[in-house]
């Protein structure tokens, strides 16, 4: 059974539940299948929080909808089921902070600093910027979600730099290093990022293969930042 078939099965069994019911359904339905549980936890988190982000921003653009489908590459026959989960989250009276708290536990499973939570933030940025800009309300939303997830300010700024050009387009911030760092330190950081974003590592963290299009976009930005720094250092 494919990942999306399992997700559709999950949606059909938890339809109509509010946040707590959805979270408990994921834990119960996939208790004996940790790999699928991680994938479903990731997808449910990104779907639910993107719905809440749209509500916080006040509207959903066609570009954001297209970005959402680009991330997940949802087969036509299963889009209606994903839309059901999206609308459940959007209509739920629970605030986005409550969602983030619950989904943090669902994704991390008790693990501190769970890497999959950064993947959720990255995916939300990918959707938010689809209309050409990450708006003020969206950025505040994302910063608060990152805070709840326990993502450090330094890490959050590095994620921001991959998605937002604040005028400086600083490649050092993209890699999460300082201009004062020597090149060996920068190269080491770059290699760590490459290893972290290898498809096998993403799968091990529970990131569905359907999400890898966004991961490839991120890797391209990381490569470009490193190449720019390398050219700068050689020229100096």
């Amino acid at each position: 059974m494919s990942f999306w078939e399992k997700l559709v099965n999950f949606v059909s069994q938890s339809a109509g539940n509010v946040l707590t019911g959805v979270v408990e359904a994921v834990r119960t339905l996939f208790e004996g299948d940790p790999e699928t549980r991680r994938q479903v936890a990731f997808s449910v988190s990104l779907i639910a929080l993107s719905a809440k982000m749209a509500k916080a921003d006040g509207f959903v653009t066609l570009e954001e909808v297209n970005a959402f489908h680009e991330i997940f590459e949802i087969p036509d026959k299963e889009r209606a089921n994903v839309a059901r989960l999206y609308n459940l989250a959007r209509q739920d009276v629970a605030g986005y902070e409550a969602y983030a708290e619950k989904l943090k536990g669902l994704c991390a499973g008790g693990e501190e600093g769970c890497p999959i939570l950064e993947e959720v933030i990255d995916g939300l940025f990918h959707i938010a910027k689809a209309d050409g800009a990450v708006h003020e309300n969206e950025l505040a939303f994302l910063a608060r979600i990152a805070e709840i997830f326990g993502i450090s300010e330094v890490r959050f700024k590095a994620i921001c730099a991959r998605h937002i050009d604040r005028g400086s387009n600083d490649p050092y911030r993209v890699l999460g290093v300082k201009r004062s760092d020597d090149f060996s330190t920068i190269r080491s950081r770059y290699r760590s990022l490459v290893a972290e974003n290898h498809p096998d590592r993403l799968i091990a963290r529970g990131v569905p293969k359907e999400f890898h299009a966004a991961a490839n976009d991120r890797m391209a930005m990381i490569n470009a930042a490193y190449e720019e720094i390398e050219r700068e250092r050689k020229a100096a």
Side-chain angles (χ1 to χ4, degrees):
M1 183 181 291
S2 72
F3 164 75
W4 282 110
E5 287 171 328
K6 291 176 181 178
L7 181 57
V8 168
N9 186 51
F10 156 66
V11 172
S12 66
Q13 294 188 51
S14 62
N17 286 355
V18 294
L19 171 62
T20 300
V22 170
V23 170
E24 289 307 315
V26 175
R27 286 179 174 153
T28 302
L29 288 171
F30 301 101
E31 186 176 6
D33 187 352
E35 180 178 351
T36 301
R37 181 185 180 278
R38 286 194 299 270
Q39 292 180 346
V40 171
F42 171 85
S43 297
V44 167
S45 297
L46 192 52
I47 292 166
L49 288 175
S50 65
K52 288 297 184 183
M53 182 169 65
K55 191 172 182 178
D57 188 46
F59 56 90
V60 183
T61 68
L62 178 60
E63 291 85 0
E64 288 172 339
V65 172
N66 289 338
F68 181 86
H69 290 308
E70 175 188 318
I71 286 175
F72 283 108
E73 300 175 2
I74 303 166
D76 289 341
K77 66 179 181 179
E78 294 169 353
R79 289 192 177 197
N81 293 285
V82 174
R84 287 169 63 192
L85 179 59
Y86 182 94
N87 288 327
L88 277 173
R90 195 168 185 218
Q91 295 167 14
D92 193 350
V93 295
Y96 77 88
E97 291 177 322
Y99 263 75
E101 290 284 1
K102 286 285 187 180
L103 296 172
K104 174 185 177 182
L106 184 63
C107 276
E111 177 188 349
E112 285 296 323
C114 181
I116 201 171
L117 296 172
E118 288 195 24
E119 300 287 349
V120 172
I121 295 292
D122 214 46
L124 290 171
F125 262 109
H126 190 80
I127 295 168
K129 72 179 183 180
D131 60 356
V134 177
H135 301 285
E136 186 177 343
N137 287 349
E138 290 172 325
L139 187 57
F141 174 94
L142 290 164
R144 178 61 182 138
I145 296 296
E147 182 182 4
I148 292 170
F149 280 178
I151 295 171
S152 71
E153 186 176 353
V154 171
R155 294 289 283 183
F156 181 69
K157 285 182 178 179
I159 296 171
C160 282
R162 293 199 295 265
H163 295 282
I164 303 174
D165 182 357
R166 296 179 179 273
S168 60
N169 198 23
D170 188 350
Y172 293 89
R173 182 172 286 184
V174 171
L175 298 185
V177 295
K178 300 176 182 177
R179 287 184 174 273
S180 58
D181 289 338
D182 59 45
F183 190 66
S184 62
T185 298
I186 293 169
R187 183 171 55 238
S188 177
R189 172 60 180 158
Y190 166 71
R191 288 174 175 171
S192 294
L193 287 171
V194 170
E196 285 175 18
N197 290 281
H198 189 279
D200 290 344
R201 293 287 293 275
L202 294 176
I203 292 169
R205 291 204 295 266
V207 179
K209 64 181 180 181
E210 290 86 352
F211 185 73
H212 291 180
N216 290 338
D217 183 41
R218 176 174 67 235
M219 198 62 245
M221 287 184 279
I222 290 169
N223 285 333
Y226 178 75
E227 289 168 6
E228 184 176 343
I229 293 171
E230 187 175 40
R231 286 194 301 270
E232 177 187 298
R233 294 298 175 102
K234 285 181 177 179

